[in-house]
Protein backbone atom coordinates (compact mmCIF):
# COMPACT_ATOMS: atom_id res chain seq x y z
CA UNK A 1 0.00 0.00 0.00
CA UNK A 2 2.78 2.44 0.92
CA UNK A 3 4.60 1.83 -2.33
CA UNK A 4 1.42 2.28 -4.38
CA UNK A 5 0.66 5.49 -2.56
CA UNK A 6 4.19 6.75 -3.26
CA UNK A 7 3.87 5.99 -6.98
CA UNK A 8 0.48 7.75 -7.08
CA UNK A 9 1.90 10.82 -5.34
CA UNK A 10 4.86 10.90 -7.76
CA UNK A 11 2.48 10.68 -10.72
CA UNK A 12 0.34 13.49 -9.32
CA UNK A 13 3.46 15.61 -8.73
CA UNK A 14 4.51 15.19 -12.35
CA UNK A 15 1.00 15.96 -13.66
CA UNK A 16 1.15 19.31 -11.86
CA UNK A 17 4.38 20.17 -13.72
CA UNK A 18 3.64 19.66 -17.42
CA UNK A 19 6.70 21.60 -18.56
CA UNK A 20 8.94 19.21 -16.63
CA UNK A 21 7.12 16.21 -18.10
CA UNK A 22 7.58 17.68 -21.58
CA UNK A 23 11.30 18.13 -20.92
CA UNK A 24 11.58 14.51 -19.78
CA UNK A 25 9.78 13.41 -22.97
CA UNK A 26 12.10 15.50 -25.13
CA UNK A 27 15.27 14.23 -23.45
CA UNK A 28 14.09 10.63 -23.51
CA UNK A 29 13.17 10.81 -27.18
CA UNK A 30 16.48 12.49 -28.04
CA UNK A 31 18.43 9.77 -26.24
CA UNK A 32 16.55 6.95 -27.97
CA UNK A 33 16.83 8.50 -31.44
CA UNK A 34 20.49 9.37 -30.91
CA UNK A 35 21.37 5.81 -29.94
CA UNK A 36 19.33 4.39 -32.83
CA UNK A 37 21.02 6.64 -35.40
CA UNK A 38 24.47 5.77 -34.03
CA UNK A 39 23.78 2.03 -34.19
CA UNK A 40 22.29 2.30 -37.68
CA UNK A 41 25.35 4.17 -38.92
CA UNK A 42 27.76 1.71 -37.31
CA UNK A 43 26.08 -1.47 -38.44
CA UNK A 44 24.38 -0.64 -41.69
CA UNK A 45 25.97 2.55 -42.92
CA UNK A 46 22.49 4.08 -43.01
CA UNK A 47 22.21 7.78 -42.27
CA UNK A 48 19.18 9.98 -41.73
CA UNK A 49 19.05 13.69 -42.50
CA UNK A 50 19.01 16.06 -39.53
CA UNK A 51 15.49 17.18 -40.30
CA UNK A 52 14.32 13.59 -40.71
CA UNK A 53 15.89 12.69 -37.38
CA UNK A 54 14.16 15.69 -35.85
CA UNK A 55 10.79 14.52 -37.12
CA UNK A 56 11.33 11.03 -35.73
CA UNK A 57 12.42 12.54 -32.41
CA UNK A 58 9.38 14.82 -32.37
CA UNK A 59 6.99 11.96 -33.01
CA UNK A 60 8.57 9.89 -30.26
CA UNK A 61 8.60 12.85 -27.81
CA UNK A 62 4.94 13.61 -28.54
CA UNK A 63 3.94 9.98 -27.98
CA UNK A 64 6.01 9.73 -24.82
CA UNK A 65 4.48 12.95 -23.49
CA UNK A 66 0.99 11.56 -24.05
CA UNK A 67 1.94 8.35 -22.28
CA UNK A 68 3.23 10.39 -19.33
CA UNK A 69 -0.13 12.17 -19.06
CA UNK A 70 0.35 15.51 -20.81
CA UNK A 71 -2.68 17.35 -22.20
CA UNK A 72 -3.42 16.78 -25.88
CA UNK A 73 -2.29 20.22 -26.96
CA UNK A 74 1.25 19.38 -25.75
CA UNK A 75 1.39 16.72 -28.47
CA UNK A 76 1.94 19.33 -31.17
CA UNK A 77 4.49 21.26 -29.10
CA UNK A 78 6.52 18.13 -28.46
CA UNK A 79 6.20 17.02 -32.08
CA UNK A 80 7.39 20.30 -33.61
CA UNK A 81 9.90 21.57 -31.03
CA UNK A 82 13.09 19.91 -32.28
CA UNK A 83 12.18 20.04 -36.02
CA UNK A 84 11.52 23.77 -35.63
CA UNK A 85 14.89 24.28 -33.95
CA UNK A 86 16.68 22.34 -36.70
CA UNK A 87 14.84 24.23 -39.43
CA UNK A 88 15.60 27.57 -37.80
CA UNK A 89 19.28 26.71 -37.33
CA UNK A 90 19.67 26.32 -41.08
CA UNK A 91 17.76 29.44 -42.04
CA UNK A 92 18.69 33.10 -41.85
CA UNK A 93 15.83 34.15 -39.63
CA UNK A 94 15.71 37.71 -38.26
CA UNK A 95 16.01 38.10 -34.50
CA UNK A 96 12.46 39.45 -34.18
CA UNK A 97 11.10 36.00 -35.08
CA UNK A 98 12.50 34.54 -31.86
CA UNK A 99 11.30 37.55 -29.87
CA UNK A 100 7.82 37.11 -31.36
CA UNK A 101 7.84 33.44 -30.41
CA UNK A 102 8.77 34.31 -26.85
CA UNK A 103 6.05 36.95 -26.62
CA UNK A 104 3.50 34.49 -28.04
CA UNK A 105 4.33 31.86 -25.41
CA UNK A 106 4.30 34.48 -22.65
CA UNK A 107 0.92 35.85 -23.72
CA UNK A 108 -0.55 32.33 -23.59
CA UNK A 109 0.98 31.43 -20.21
CA UNK A 110 1.09 34.74 -18.37
CA UNK A 111 -0.51 33.18 -15.28
CA UNK A 112 2.29 30.66 -14.82
CA UNK A 113 4.67 33.30 -13.49
CA UNK A 114 2.41 35.77 -11.70
CA UNK A 115 -0.20 33.47 -10.18
CA UNK A 116 1.57 30.07 -10.41
CA UNK A 117 -1.32 28.84 -12.54
CA UNK A 118 -0.27 27.22 -15.84
CA UNK A 119 -2.64 26.79 -18.75
CA UNK A 120 -4.66 23.62 -18.17
CA UNK A 121 -7.45 22.59 -20.51
CA UNK A 122 -10.50 20.72 -19.21
CA UNK A 123 -11.19 17.57 -21.18
CA UNK A 124 -14.36 16.06 -22.57
CA UNK A 125 -14.97 13.88 -19.52
CA UNK A 126 -14.62 16.89 -17.27
CA UNK A 127 -17.29 18.68 -19.28
CA UNK A 128 -19.57 15.66 -19.02
CA UNK A 129 -19.00 15.57 -15.26
CA UNK A 130 -19.80 19.25 -14.94
CA UNK A 131 -23.00 18.79 -16.95
CA UNK A 132 -24.06 16.03 -14.57
CA UNK A 133 -23.42 18.24 -11.54
CA UNK A 134 -24.99 21.40 -12.97
CA UNK A 135 -28.17 19.55 -13.92
CA UNK A 136 -28.87 19.41 -10.17
CA UNK A 137 -29.02 23.21 -9.90
CA UNK A 138 -31.92 25.49 -10.70
CA UNK A 139 -31.99 26.30 -14.42
CA UNK A 140 -31.01 29.97 -13.99
CA UNK A 141 -27.82 29.46 -11.98
CA UNK A 142 -24.80 31.74 -12.41
CA UNK A 143 -21.45 30.10 -13.14
CA UNK A 144 -17.90 31.50 -13.22
CA UNK A 145 -14.80 29.78 -14.57
CA UNK A 146 -11.70 31.15 -12.78
CA UNK A 147 -9.04 31.06 -15.46
CA UNK A 148 -11.22 30.03 -18.37
CA UNK A 149 -8.39 29.62 -20.91
CA UNK A 150 -9.68 29.72 -24.51
CA UNK A 151 -13.25 29.18 -23.17
CA UNK A 152 -13.89 25.74 -24.61
CA UNK A 153 -15.51 24.40 -21.45
CA UNK A 154 -17.33 27.67 -20.79
CA UNK A 155 -18.93 27.70 -24.24
CA UNK A 156 -19.85 24.03 -24.05
CA UNK A 157 -21.69 24.53 -20.77
CA UNK A 158 -23.36 27.75 -21.91
CA UNK A 159 -24.87 25.93 -24.87
CA UNK A 160 -26.04 23.05 -22.68
CA UNK A 161 -27.70 25.35 -20.13
CA UNK A 162 -29.23 28.27 -22.05
CA UNK A 163 -31.17 29.61 -19.03
CA UNK A 164 -28.02 29.96 -16.94
CA UNK A 165 -25.41 32.75 -17.06
CA UNK A 166 -21.73 31.96 -17.61
CA UNK A 167 -18.72 34.18 -16.97
CA UNK A 168 -15.05 33.42 -17.57
CA UNK A 169 -12.14 35.41 -16.16
CA UNK A 170 -8.68 35.28 -17.70
CA UNK A 171 -5.49 37.38 -17.48
CA UNK A 172 -3.23 35.78 -20.11
CA UNK A 173 -3.60 38.39 -22.91
CA UNK A 174 -3.74 36.19 -26.00
CA UNK A 175 -5.77 33.49 -24.25
CA UNK A 176 -8.25 36.15 -23.12
CA UNK A 177 -8.55 37.55 -26.64
CA UNK A 178 -9.30 34.10 -28.05
CA UNK A 179 -11.87 33.38 -25.33
CA UNK A 180 -13.55 36.78 -25.69
CA UNK A 181 -13.91 36.42 -29.46
CA UNK A 182 -15.27 32.88 -29.17
CA UNK A 183 -17.96 33.93 -26.70
CA UNK A 184 -19.21 37.00 -28.58
CA UNK A 185 -22.02 35.13 -30.31
CA UNK A 186 -23.17 33.26 -27.18
CA UNK A 187 -25.72 35.42 -25.40
CA UNK A 188 -25.46 33.81 -21.97
CA UNK A 189 -21.66 33.73 -21.91
CA UNK A 190 -19.08 36.48 -21.51
CA UNK A 191 -15.38 36.72 -20.69
CA UNK A 192 -13.65 39.36 -18.57
CA UNK A 193 -10.00 40.37 -18.52
CA UNK A 194 -9.77 40.04 -14.77
CA UNK A 195 -7.76 38.27 -12.10
CA UNK A 196 -9.55 35.59 -10.15
CA UNK A 197 -8.53 37.47 -6.99
CA UNK A 198 -10.48 40.54 -8.13
CA UNK A 199 -13.57 38.53 -9.04
CA UNK A 200 -16.53 38.89 -6.66
CA UNK A 201 -17.57 35.30 -6.03
CA UNK A 202 -20.78 36.35 -4.27
CA UNK A 203 -22.36 36.90 -7.70
CA UNK A 204 -22.27 33.18 -8.56
CA UNK A 205 -23.90 29.97 -7.41
CA UNK A 206 -21.17 27.82 -8.98
CA UNK A 207 -17.46 28.66 -9.02
CA UNK A 208 -15.29 26.35 -11.15
CA UNK A 209 -11.50 26.30 -11.33
CA UNK A 210 -8.69 24.22 -12.81
CA UNK A 211 -5.68 25.95 -11.30
CA UNK A 212 -2.76 24.34 -9.43
CA UNK A 213 -2.06 23.38 -5.82
CA UNK A 214 -0.46 26.77 -5.11
CA UNK A 215 -3.55 29.04 -4.88
CA UNK A 216 -6.11 26.58 -3.50
CA UNK A 217 -5.78 27.50 0.20
CA UNK A 218 -6.12 31.21 -0.54
CA UNK A 219 -9.02 30.57 -2.92
CA UNK A 220 -10.81 28.60 -0.21
CA UNK A 221 -10.46 31.56 2.16
CA UNK A 222 -11.86 33.89 -0.48
CA UNK A 223 -14.73 31.51 -1.25
CA UNK A 224 -15.71 31.20 2.42
CA UNK A 225 -15.82 34.98 2.78
CA UNK A 226 -17.73 35.75 -0.42
CA UNK A 227 -19.85 32.81 -1.53
CA UNK A 228 -23.41 32.37 -0.28
CA UNK A 229 -24.60 29.32 1.64
CA UNK A 230 -25.58 26.52 -0.71
CA UNK A 231 -23.32 27.68 -3.54
CA UNK A 232 -20.61 25.36 -4.89
CA UNK A 233 -16.89 25.57 -5.32
CA UNK A 234 -15.80 22.96 -7.88
CA UNK A 235 -12.13 22.23 -8.52
CA UNK A 236 -10.72 20.06 -11.27
CA UNK A 237 -8.18 17.71 -9.64
CA UNK A 238 -6.65 20.08 -7.08
CA UNK A 239 -7.66 19.83 -3.43
CA UNK A 240 -8.13 22.43 -0.73
CA UNK A 241 -5.47 21.57 1.87
CA UNK A 242 -7.03 20.11 4.98
CA UNK A 243 -10.63 20.45 3.77
CA UNK A 244 -12.22 17.23 2.47
CA UNK A 245 -14.53 17.71 -0.51
CA UNK A 246 -18.21 16.99 0.08
CA UNK A 247 -18.39 15.15 -3.22
CA UNK A 248 -15.78 13.70 -5.58
CA UNK A 249 -16.56 12.74 -9.17
CA UNK A 250 -13.95 10.47 -10.73
CA UNK A 251 -13.62 11.28 -14.43
CA UNK A 252 -11.72 8.11 -15.43
CA UNK A 253 -9.69 9.95 -18.06
CA UNK A 254 -6.05 9.43 -19.01
CA UNK A 255 -5.02 12.17 -16.54
CA UNK A 256 -6.90 10.47 -13.68
CA UNK A 257 -8.76 13.72 -13.16
CA UNK A 258 -11.61 14.23 -10.75
CA UNK A 259 -14.02 16.97 -9.82
CA UNK A 260 -14.03 18.01 -6.17
CA UNK A 261 -17.09 19.84 -4.88
CA UNK A 262 -17.45 21.89 -1.70
CA UNK A 263 -20.87 23.26 -0.70
CA UNK A 264 -20.59 26.59 1.09
CA UNK A 265 -22.07 26.46 4.57
CA UNK A 266 -21.69 22.70 4.60
CA UNK A 267 -18.08 22.36 5.74
Amino acid sequence: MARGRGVSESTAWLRRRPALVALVAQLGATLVVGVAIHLAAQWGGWRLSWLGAGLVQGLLAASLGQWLGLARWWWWLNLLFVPALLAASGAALPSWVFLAGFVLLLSLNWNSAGERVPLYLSGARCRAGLVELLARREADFRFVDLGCGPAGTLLYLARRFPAAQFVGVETAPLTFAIAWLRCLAQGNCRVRYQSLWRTDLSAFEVVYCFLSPAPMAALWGKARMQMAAGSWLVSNSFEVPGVPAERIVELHDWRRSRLLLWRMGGE
Side-chain angles (χ1 to χ4, degrees):
M1 287 295 293
R3 181 176 179 179
R5 191 161 52 246
V7 172
S8 177
E9 290 173 356
S10 298
T11 303
W13 186 86
L14 281 173
R15 288 206 310 270
R16 294 195 292 266
R17 292 160 176 82
L20 179 59
V21 176
L23 177 61
V24 170
Q26 289 290 336
L27 293 176
T30 300
L31 177 62
V32 170
V33 172
V35 170
I37 290 176
H38 174 74
L39 293 177
Q42 291 293 319
W43 292 349
W46 180 73
R47 295 184 181 276
L48 189 65
S49 69
W50 282 111
L51 187 56
L55 290 173
V56 173
Q57 188 276 347
L59 184 60
L60 182 58
S63 301
L64 182 58
Q66 288 292 103
W67 182 75
L68 290 172
L70 287 176
R72 293 178 182 177
W73 61 275
W74 278 97
W75 196 90
W76 291 103
L77 291 180
N78 282 324
L79 174 67
L80 298 175
F81 180 71
V82 167
L85 286 180
L86 292 173
S89 65
L93 297 177
S95 59
W96 65 262
V97 171
F98 301 98
L99 177 61
F102 173 77
V103 171
L104 177 63
L105 290 175
L106 184 63
S107 64
L108 285 169
N109 293 278
W110 184 264
N111 300 333
S112 296
E115 298 177 352
R116 293 178 293 171
V117 178
L119 177 61
Y120 289 125
L121 301 180
S122 301
R125 295 202 178 190
C126 172
R127 297 174 184 178
L130 286 170
V131 167
E132 181 181 347
L133 289 175
L134 294 176
R136 303 171 183 267
R137 304 286 317 191
E138 295 292 332
D140 60 347
F141 64 84
R142 293 167 298 174
F143 176 103
V144 63
D145 186 344
L146 302 178
C148 66
T153 296
L154 198 68
L155 270 174
Y156 179 85
L157 296 175
R159 291 163 181 159
R160 291 296 300 267
F161 298 95
Q165 293 297 317
F166 291 84
V167 172
V169 298
E170 180 60 58
T171 55
L174 181 56
T175 308
F176 161 76
I178 294 171
W180 183 80
L181 288 171
R182 293 184 70 189
C183 293
L184 279 179
Q186 187 67 32
N188 65 332
C189 183
R190 63 187 186 276
V191 177
R192 303 172 183 166
Y193 187 75
Q194 185 178 65
S195 167
L196 65 92
W197 305 114
R198 294 183 176 273
T199 302
D200 182 6
L201 303 184
S202 66
F204 305 97
E205 284 80 39
V206 182
V207 175
Y208 170 72
C209 60
F210 190 9
L211 302 174
S212 76
M216 290 306 298
L219 178 61
W220 176 247
K222 178 180 172 66
R224 291 191 65 186
M225 287 190 297
Q226 296 183 354
M227 295 178 67
S231 55
W232 294 349
L233 173 64
V234 181
S235 171
N236 188 329
S237 300
F238 301 115
E239 303 176 352
V240 174
V243 185
E246 179 177 321
R247 181 173 182 182
I248 298 176
V249 178
E250 299 289 347
L251 301 180
H252 304 290
D253 62 3
W254 52 272
R255 287 189 299 201
R256 300 180 184 176
S257 305
R258 55 186 184 160
L259 296 176
L260 301 100
L261 184 150
W262 294 266
R263 186 191 307 270
M264 294 300 109
E267 70 274 14

